[in-house]
Structure formats: structure tokens, C-alpha cells
């Protein structure tokens, strides 16, 4: 009886036992980074991905709650951006959108010299009871001013984000081409 097969099985078992345990990636890595790596593997260019991610991030923080997905889809389709990358970035910045709604509205009321938005629930309820149409018009005005301010900021911020993201994505592409995938412990 030949001892080579038994020896090779034993050496494989020893090699397997000496391996480090597999790395378990975080949810953010699996849902955010791995799809971007997959897009790079499929042939997306770092520049186009940078524009897609920048558009998704900036559209994702616009102060009109509930409109980001539609805006992101429309912009990505019209500008021929990568839909997946823009939606990943859009959804990744959702907590930032919630945090920036009030600052955008306050800054918009300062820039456009309108009455500041009261943050007291009691004042909102009393205005809703006494004059709901006036309150609705005022909320639309605050939202419009915040949206215009956001658009102005986004026009300036988009190229800056692309300039920051493109080298990062180029480095990721070289690692993907060398099969050296970034691993998060």
C-alpha cells in the first residue's frame, strides 16, 4: 500500500489547521465596499465611479426628505452614471441627511432673509391650528431656500469629491487587478 495519499491528506489537514480563521467582514464592508469592488472588477472606471459616488452622496444629503432616491435615479440616468454606486452612496449618507435638514433650513432662512423656523413643537402646533395654509407656505419657503442653498453647495462640492475619490478608487483598482483585495479585520 502506498503511503503518499495518506501523507498528502495528512499534510493538507495540517496546512488547514495552521490557517488563520476567516475574516468576518462588517455589514458596512459587505454592503458598501464589496459592491464598489465588484463594479471595479466588472470594468467600471475609477473616474466614472467617483462621479457616481459623489452624485449619490450629494443628492443623498439634499434637504427635501423623501426625494433622494428618485433624484439619484434621475440624475444617474440622465448623466449616464453608475446607478448602483450612486444608490449605495445615497443610502450611506441618509443619517447625514437627517442631521443636516435643520442646519440647511436655518442657513437658508439667514441667506434669504426670511423668518427663522421655530423648532418648538408647541409653536408649530399652534400655527397649524390657527393658520395651517400660512404655515404650509412658510414650510415650503424654508424648504425651497434650503434646497437652493444645497444646490449651490453641491455644485462646488461635486468636483472636489471627485478629485478626492478618484485616486482612492484608482488604488483600489490596482489592488483588484493584482487580486489583493482590501480586507477589514
Amino acid at each position: 500500500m502506498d503511503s503518499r495519499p495518506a501523507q498528502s491528506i495528512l499534510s493538507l489537514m495540517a496546512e488547514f489547521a495552521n490557517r488563520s480563521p476567516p475574516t468576518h467582514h462588517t455589514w458596512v464592508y459587505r454592503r458598501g465596499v464589496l459592491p464598489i469592488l465588484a463594479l471595479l472588477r466588472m470594468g467600471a472606471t475609477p473616474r466614472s465611479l467617483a462621479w457616481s459616488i459623489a452624485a449619490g452622496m450629494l443628492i443623498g444629503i439634499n434637504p427635501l426628505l423623501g426625494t433622494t432616491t428618485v433624484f439619484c435615479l434621475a440624475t444617474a440616468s440622465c448623466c449616464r452614471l453608475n446607478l448602483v454606486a450612486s444608490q449605495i452612496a445615497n443610502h450611506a449618507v441618509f443619517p447625514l441627511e437627517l442631521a443636516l435638514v435643520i442646519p440647511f433650513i436655518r442657513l437658508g432662512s439667514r441667506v434669504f432673509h426670511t423668518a427663522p423656523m421655530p423648532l418648538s413643537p408647541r409653536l408649530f402646533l399652534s400655527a397649524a391650528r390657527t393658520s395651517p395654509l400660512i404655515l404650509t407656505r412658510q414650510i415650503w419657503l424654508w424648504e425651497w431656500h434650503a434646497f437652493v442653498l444645497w444646490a449651490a453647495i453641491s455644485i462646488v462640492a461635486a468636483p472636489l469629491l471627485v478629485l478626492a475619490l478618484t485616486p482612492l478608487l484608482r488604488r483600489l483598482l490596482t489592488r483588484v487587478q493584482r487580486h489583493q483585495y482590501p480586507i477589514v479585520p
Side-chain angles (χ1 to χ4, degrees):
M1 188 168 155
D2 192 13
S3 65
R4 272 189 294 162
Q7 206 172 27
S8 63
I9 290 174
L10 288 175
S11 65
L12 284 174
M13 289 177 62
E15 181 184 330
F16 184 75
N18 291 334
R19 282 188 188 169
S20 61
T23 303
H24 296 286
H25 299 296
T26 63
W27 182 87
V28 171
Y29 185 81
R30 286 190 317 267
R31 299 289 187 235
V33 177
L34 287 180
I36 300 299
L37 290 173
L39 290 171
L40 285 169
R41 264 186 255 128
M42 287 189 267
T45 64
R47 187 158 179 81
S48 70
L49 277 181
W51 276 106
S52 301
I53 292 169
M57 288 175 69
L58 291 171
I59 291 169
I61 62 167
N62 92 57
L64 301 178
L65 295 174
T67 62
T68 59
T69 300
V70 174
F71 280 171
C72 202
L73 284 171
T75 302
S77 296
C78 290
C79 298
R80 300 180 56 100
L81 299 174
N82 190 298
L83 290 170
V84 174
S86 62
Q87 285 298 327
I88 288 170
N90 175 16
H91 292 291
V93 297
F94 177 69
L96 192 58
E97 177 190 18
L98 292 178
L100 290 176
V101 168
I102 300 298
F104 270 127
I105 288 174
R106 287 194 173 233
L107 191 59
S109 67
R110 281 189 185 162
V111 169
F112 291 100
H113 305 292
T114 57
M117 183 176 88
L119 293 179
S120 165
R122 192 177 82 236
L123 289 174
F124 255 96
L125 286 175
S126 70
R129 286 184 190 123
T130 59
S131 53
L133 289 177
I134 293 172
L135 177 65
T136 303
R137 280 191 210 122
Q138 189 64 39
I139 289 173
W140 276 103
L141 186 64
W142 287 322
E143 284 285 334
W144 173 248
H145 290 160
F147 184 76
V148 169
L149 189 66
W150 163 82
I153 291 170
S154 294
I155 288 171
V156 173
L160 297 175
L161 270 172
V162 170
L163 285 174
L165 288 171
T166 303
L168 174 71
L169 291 168
R170 280 193 183 124
R171 276 186 259 139
L172 279 176
L173 179 62
T174 58
R175 292 189 77 174
V176 164
Q177 288 170 341
R178 293 181 193 158
H179 300 288
Q180 298 172 336
Y181 303 117
I183 296 175
V184 176

